[in-house]
């Protein structure tokens, strides 16, 4: 083994999106927050992502062009510029190629496979060619960066800069795997005459799967909650990859994401009508009143206001909500939905809003400011997801003293502690099965506590608000894994 050395471990975090440059979902939040937390915990962290043309101008103006080279992609030799920007103490490297990334949005193009194969290869070239980018750990996220662990072993093992790089792959949502025609093996990846690599990438007779490549090649696999790490090994959740997750379960870790506790803080949130904290929780009522008024709901403090904020897709268990809607309305529960997604779901909730007048509101839009007002003004956040790798909404809601009612799956199960009526413990309410009546029973039980036992309710709110969902907790867990992969590096903050 190499001599031990005491220094900061050097991480390159690769993702297709990162806040504040580009965000389409939870991955953007993670790639924006986790590197900053890792840096604070004592690692040297850089992030690499594509330079999309729609990154806000203010950031593009601050980028510095530091290198360019050509990336081999089978028979192609493709231009790649590297731009750099320091943000909150972390170096962000942007992979520049206008043919691939000068588009209106990040994903959804005919050549996405080629675009992100290029991105993954460019990451490896950058590690091999940029002396300033010394890397101990390459941490890749989701299918868009999934080929980097494959390429680094197959093409760059001989390079001094890459030889000791260990790879980690994080699954944020196994539904999206990057599956393409096997013609890409020869046409883009240059791996057709490498039977080992091809065998790992093949998923069906004629197709290859980027994520499968990363799951086979990476030294460590992580996902975004411990429960999802277990679920991924089951056929129902594994989306065809469950066998690989079972085979590699010895290197599979589930680490619950955090939330940005500065952005989501009712004590300092400029976007809500009335700021409050655990000590001034009574002021939350003003936010409820204002929200009821804004959404056209009856201004009655005694009606529990149930909010839902998120993508309106089947994953989120909306079928259960639709089925239970009449029952909830009969009990005078108010429901307010904010989201966009599948048209049939949007239409269904618009119909309910029209039918139930001042009992139900559906705001079909992406509106960050309104989401803050809803987290602050709601009494209950409903999240009956069919599956939920981590879920951020329930953690944000708890921070605002809005109690979550969730189905026991993935990160919902790991972050919401169920109410115990005998001890008063808990931070929310949970139900087990994808069953609309079970969900409604659970939700109405929560309402019962809201109506009849205010002390227990307030105690639950305070417990929820106190829960630690900071990124520093997650960063510590990731750091432990990074250092385990490099036993020769002595933790810089630990005694020898
Ligand atoms: P997922 O990643 O599956 O979309 P999460 O709960 O992990 O779900 O994260 C969703 C994030 O996006 C939350 O921060 C939520 O507040 C936000 N969000 C989702 N839909 C909307 C919307 N229509 N308007 C504002 N914010 C939204």
């Amino acid at each position: 083994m190499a001599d031990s050395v005491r220094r900061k471990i050097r991480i390159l975090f690769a993702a297709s999106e990162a806040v504040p440059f580009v965000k389409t979902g939870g991955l953007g939040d993670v790639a924006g927050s986790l590197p900053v937390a890792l840096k604070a915990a004592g690692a040297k962290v850089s992030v690499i992502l594509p330079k999309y043309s729609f990154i806000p101008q203010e950031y593009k103006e601050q980028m510095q062009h530091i290198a360019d080279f050509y990336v081999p992609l089978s028979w192609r030799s493709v231009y790649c510029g590297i731009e750099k920007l320091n943000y909150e103490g972390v170096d962000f490297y942007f992979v520049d190629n206008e043919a691939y990334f000068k588009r209106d949005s990040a994903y959804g193009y005919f050549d996405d496979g080629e675009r992100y194969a290029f991105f993954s290869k460019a990451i490896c070239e950058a590690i091999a060619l940029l002396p300033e980018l010394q890397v101990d750990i390459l941490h890749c996220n989701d299918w868009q960066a999934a080929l980097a662990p494959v390429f680094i072993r197959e093409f760059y093992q001989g390079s001094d800069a890459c030889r000791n790089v260990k790879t980690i792959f994080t699954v944020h949502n196994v539904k999206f795997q990057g599956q393409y025609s096997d013609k890409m093996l020869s046409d883009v990846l240059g791996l057709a005459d490498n039977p080992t690599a091809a065998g790992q990438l093949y998923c069906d007779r004629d197709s290859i799967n980027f994520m499968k490549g990363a799951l086979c090649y990476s030294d460590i696999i992580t996902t975004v909650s411990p429960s999802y790490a277990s679920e991924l090994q089951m056929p129902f959740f594994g989306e065809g990859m469950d066998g690989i997750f079972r085979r590699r379960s010895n290197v599979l870790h589930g680490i619950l994401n955090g939330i940005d506790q500065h952005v989501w803080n009712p004590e300092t949130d400029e976007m809500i009508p009335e700021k409050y904290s655990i000590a001034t929780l009574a002021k939350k009522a003003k936010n409820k009143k204002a929200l009821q008024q804004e959404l056209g709901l009856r201004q009655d403090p005694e009606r529990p206001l149930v909010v839902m904020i998120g993508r309106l897709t089947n994953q989120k268990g909306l079928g259960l909500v639709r089925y239970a809607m009449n029952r909830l309305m009969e009990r005078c529960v108010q429901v307010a939905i904010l989201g966009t997604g599948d048209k049939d779901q949007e239409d269904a909730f618009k119909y309910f809003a029209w039918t139930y007048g001042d009992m139900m509101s559906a705001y079909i839009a992406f509106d960050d400011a309104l989401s803050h007002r809803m987290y602050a003004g709601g009494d209950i956040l409903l999240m009956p997801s069919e599956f939920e790798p981590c879920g951020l909404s329930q953690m944000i809601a708890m921070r605002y003293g809005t109690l979550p009612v969730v189905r026991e799956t993935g990160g919902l199960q790991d972050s919401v502690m169920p109410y115990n009526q005998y001890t008063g413990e808990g931070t929310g309410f949970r139900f087990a099965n994808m069953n609309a009546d079970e969900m409604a029973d659970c939700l109405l039980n929560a309402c019962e506590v809201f109506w009849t036992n205010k002390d227990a309710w307030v105690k639950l709110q305070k417990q929820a608000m106190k829960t630690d969902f900071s990124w520093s907790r997650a960063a510590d867990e990731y750091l432990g894994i990074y250092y385990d992969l490099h036993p020769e590096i002595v933790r810089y903050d630990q005694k020898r």
Side-chain angles (χ1 to χ4, degrees):
M1 195 178 82
D3 289 344
S4 67
V5 43
R6 179 191 293 266
R7 63 166 168 80
K8 291 188 179 189
I9 197 158
R10 298 172 296 218
I11 322 294
L12 181 62
F13 198 87
S16 57
E17 48 186 272
V19 166
F21 309 107
V22 45
K23 169 179 167 171
T24 70
L27 172 61
D29 288 315
V30 177
S33 303
L34 178 57
V36 178
L38 285 168
K39 179 177 176 282
K44 182 178 179 309
V45 194
S46 309
V47 182
I48 190 161
L49 69 158
K51 186 189 172 196
Y52 303 105
S53 50
F54 51 83
I55 290 175
Q57 191 60 25
E58 57 174 309
Y59 299 120
K60 283 200 279 192
E61 280 166 9
Q62 295 170 42
M63 292 178 191
Q64 250 190 327
H65 181 83
I66 60 158
D68 38 60
F69 44 76
Y70 283 82
V71 175
L73 266 190
S74 186
W75 50 267
R76 302 167 188 76
S77 184
V78 186
Y79 169 83
C80 174
I82 298 287
E83 316 257 314
K84 184 177 167 185
L85 162 63
N86 190 279
Y87 183 79
E88 298 204 357
V90 174
D91 285 332
F92 284 82
Y93 293 88
F94 294 87
V95 171
D96 183 23
N97 175 298
E98 293 201 345
Y100 289 137
F101 300 127
K102 193 175 174 186
R103 312 263 173 119
D104 294 337
S105 54
Y107 321 119
Y109 296 96
F110 72 98
D111 58 349
D112 278 0
E114 183 179 324
R115 296 168 70 219
Y116 288 102
F118 163 76
F119 174 55
S120 296
K121 201 78 176 284
I123 294 167
C124 302
E125 284 287 325
I127 298 173
L129 296 178
L130 297 184
E132 69 175 64
L133 201 64
Q134 294 175 331
V135 177
D136 300 312
I137 301 280
L138 172 61
H139 187 156
C140 298
N141 294 272
D142 272 355
W143 72 267
Q144 297 91 342
L147 288 178
V150 179
F151 290 148
I152 208 150
R153 290 286 168 263
E154 294 297 349
F155 294 109
Y156 296 87
Q157 195 63 33
S159 129
D160 284 345
C162 297
R163 191 168 302 124
N164 292 321
V165 172
K166 302 287 184 195
T167 52
I168 295 191
F169 181 70
T170 298
V171 179
H172 296 262
N173 189 340
V174 79
K175 264 237 181 269
F176 309 105
Q177 301 179 353
Q179 194 167 330
Y180 297 99
S181 156
D182 65 349
K183 293 196 176 61
M184 280 192 74
L185 271 178
S186 58
D187 186 44
V188 180
L189 311 192
L191 287 169
D193 51 8
N194 179 334
T196 316
Q200 315 263 38
L201 285 162
Y202 261 106
C203 68
D204 286 325
R205 208 161 57 86
D206 316 321
S207 61
I208 57 164
N209 185 314
F210 287 13
M211 184 179 278
K212 183 166 177 272
L215 297 179
C216 293
Y217 274 79
S218 302
D219 294 305
I220 294 283
I221 303 166
T222 73
T223 188
V224 289
S225 67
S227 290
Y228 195 53
S230 306
E231 290 170 349
L232 285 173
Q233 299 174 52
M234 304 172 192
F236 179 79
F237 295 96
E239 300 285 334
M241 296 292 119
D242 48 292
I244 302 180
F245 286 115
R246 285 196 298 277
R247 178 161 60 76
R248 302 217 64 205
S249 59
N250 57 327
V251 297
L252 174 63
H253 301 256
I255 300 177
L256 194 70
N257 283 338
I259 53 172
D260 188 326
Q261 309 228 76
H262 301 294
V263 173
W264 302 108
N265 183 356
E267 220 173 332
T268 54
D269 192 336
E270 294 295 340
M271 295 194 220
I272 63 176
E274 184 79 27
K275 299 188 186 90
Y276 59 95
S277 65
I278 293 181
T280 59
L281 189 51
K283 289 191 191 170
K284 182 169 162 64
K286 292 195 184 159
N287 290 290
K288 176 172 176 178
K289 189 160 189 268
L291 184 64
Q292 285 172 321
Q293 185 177 22
E294 176 180 357
L295 298 179
L297 301 172
R298 185 178 302 183
Q299 289 175 57
D300 179 350
E302 283 311 307
R303 298 200 174 201
L305 174 49
V306 177
V307 296
M308 293 185 73
I309 300 156
R311 291 181 292 116
L312 301 181
T313 64
N314 289 340
Q315 176 197 334
K316 301 292 177 182
L318 299 170
L320 307 193
V321 184
R322 286 159 64 168
Y323 186 91
M325 194 61 83
N326 286 341
R327 206 177 140 194
L328 300 180
M329 295 294 129
E330 278 167 11
R331 298 291 305 276
C332 295
V333 175
Q334 293 182 341
V335 177
I337 289 187
L338 167 64
T340 56
D342 299 343
K343 183 151 185 337
D344 60 331
Q345 304 284 9
E346 293 183 353
D347 288 347
F349 288 108
K350 279 195 249 179
Y351 163 79
F352 284 125
W354 175 75
T355 307
Y356 292 113
D358 65 0
M359 295 290 295
M360 157 82 206
S361 136
Y363 200 87
I364 307 299
F366 192 97
D367 188 329
D368 186 49
L370 176 56
S371 79
H372 282 249
R373 296 195 291 278
M374 287 178 69
Y375 286 120
D379 295 304
I380 291 170
L381 177 104
L382 179 59
M383 238 173 136
S385 306
E386 187 176 329
F387 69 95
E388 195 61 72
C390 176
L392 299 175
S393 294
Q394 82 282 9
M395 296 196 248
I396 300 170
M398 283 185 261
R399 189 127 166 91
Y400 284 76
T402 300
L403 296 180
V405 171
V406 301
R407 193 175 94 76
E408 286 168 3
T409 183
L412 299 176
Q413 173 160 319
D414 295 334
S415 57
V416 179
M417 196 179 154
Y419 172 54
N420 180 330
Q421 60 176 318
Y422 304 106
T423 63
E425 287 170 317
T427 57
F429 301 82
R430 299 187 347 193
F431 64 98
N433 297 299
M434 282 302 286
N435 178 308
D437 285 320
E438 198 176 318
M439 181 202 76
D441 287 347
C442 179
L443 183 57
L444 291 170
N445 270 342
C447 294
E448 212 58 52
V449 180
F450 173 86
W451 281 314
T452 61
N453 194 344
K454 281 279 184 280
D455 289 346
W457 188 264
V458 169
K459 189 166 177 238
L460 285 174
Q461 285 181 303
K462 289 185 176 171
Q463 284 160 188
M465 291 172 84
K466 271 191 224 154
T467 313
D468 177 13
F469 292 122
S470 67
W471 272 108
S472 56
R473 175 199 42 77
D476 273 346
E477 288 189 56
Y478 280 107
L479 265 190
I481 292 174
Y482 298 152
Y483 278 105
D484 282 351
L485 282 171
H486 278 286
E488 79 284 6
I489 304 175
V490 177
R491 249 184 108 141
Y492 137 97
D493 50 351
Q494 270 176 4
K495 293 199 174 71
R496 219 179 275 257

